[in-house]
Amino acid sequence: MRILKRLALAATMAALFGGIAEAKEWTKVRIGTEGAYPPFNELTPDNQLVGFDIDVAKALCEKMKVECEFVTQDWDGMIPALLAGKYDAIIASMSITPERAEKVAFTGKYYNTPPALAVPKDSAIQGADPEDVAGKAIGAQSSTTHSRYVEQYYKDAQLKMYPTADEYKLDLQNGRLDGAVDDVVVLSEWLDTPDGACCKIAGTITPVEEIHGEGAGIAIRKEDTDLVAMFNKAIEEIRADGSYQTINEKYFDFDVYGD
């Protein structure tokens, strides 16, 4: 009996100390982002990643005292690539939704802005309610909260889905769409460009919690609980020391963190 107890104790201690030895030391964090969602993340002509997401990510890595390495990934494959180990965290304006939380862990939000509907300037559409778009062709980026909202709430409209935001913008500009749904900041930024001069905001959309979630967070593999804690602590720190506000003011004239 004593021998069995000693063996059990030895096995327990080995598992305990083995787990400690194998705990990951985060000195480098690979961050997945899309690079096609201005002003939050985009690639410049010389292939440099810029935007609000990117600056926030760099500030968080500095607080965590880790090296940042960015990896670009098409939006549709963002979560599968995280789970496959292509990178360690997603900082790409990904909304914290119950559906996504079944697959990945999330930090708390780092910003929260509402969706909106953009239409051509000469459009007869006067609002963003379902009855306003009945019978209309409405575009949205696929695999987003915006396309899901259109599917569930704009039932009498025709949904056209696009791999990237740039593609629905092109169709809206060229008259192939009656409207498009996206984040109000993304749409407003585009409307201030020559290409976006074609269009206007018809109205904002009241977020639906089960679709839009509670804001944009950082997605991390569920087993990496220590990394979730590190990012959450870093978000609190940049909010407290003014770093977040400095980044916010670089891109926006209002507080994107939200309530």
Side-chain angles (χ1 to χ4, degrees), residues 13 30 42 64 69 78 111 136 148 186 199 221 228 235:
M13 296 300 288
R30 297 164 300 159
E42 62 180 312
M64 296 189 300
E69 178 184 302
M78 197 68 72
Y111 83 84
K136 305 298 185 182
R148 189 177 170 203
V186 171
C199 302
R221 288 182 293 273
V228 175
I235 291 171

Side-chain angles (χ1 to χ4, degrees), residues 59-213:
L60 295 176
C61 287
E62 183 176 348
K63 288 295 182 186
M64 296 189 300
K65 295 180 171 55
V66 298
E67 178 188 351
C68 272
E69 178 184 302
F70 291 96
V71 180
T72 55
Q73 169 66 49
D74 290 343
W75 179 258
D76 285 352
M78 197 68 72
I79 287 179
L82 172 69
L83 298 178
K86 185 175 179 179
Y87 36 76
D88 307 303
I90 297 171
I91 303 183
S93 295
M94 181 170 283
S95 297
I96 306 164
T97 67
E99 183 180 7
R100 290 170 180 156
E102 292 178 2
K103 300 176 182 178
V104 298
F106 278 101
T107 64
K109 70 172 184 178
Y110 65 94
Y111 83 84
N112 190 13
T113 50
L117 172 69
V119 299
K121 283 185 174 176
D122 60 357
S123 174
I125 298 173
Q126 297 297 314
D129 293 330
E131 57 269 24
D132 293 314
V133 298
K136 305 298 185 182
I138 304 298
Q141 186 174 4
S142 61
S143 302
T144 63
T145 57
H146 309 298
S147 61
R148 189 177 170 203
Y149 178 86
V150 174
E151 283 182 309
Q152 292 195 24
Y153 283 84
Y154 287 179
K155 293 184 183 296
D156 294 327
Q158 177 191 358
L159 170 61
K160 292 187 176 182
M161 291 196 284
Y162 297 82
T164 68
D166 285 343
E167 289 169 271
Y168 79 65
K169 291 173 185 174
L170 184 62
D171 272 6
L172 188 57
Q173 178 189 359
N174 292 328
R176 292 189 286 268
L177 284 174
D178 298 306
V181 174
D182 207 329
D183 185 284
V184 67
V185 174
V186 171
L187 292 172
S188 298
E189 179 91 356
W190 177 60
L191 296 180
D192 284 338
T193 68
D195 288 342
C198 61
C199 302
K200 64 182 180 180
I201 299 290
T204 56
I205 294 168
T206 302
V208 178
E209 187 171 347
E210 61 266 27
I211 293 178
H212 298 105

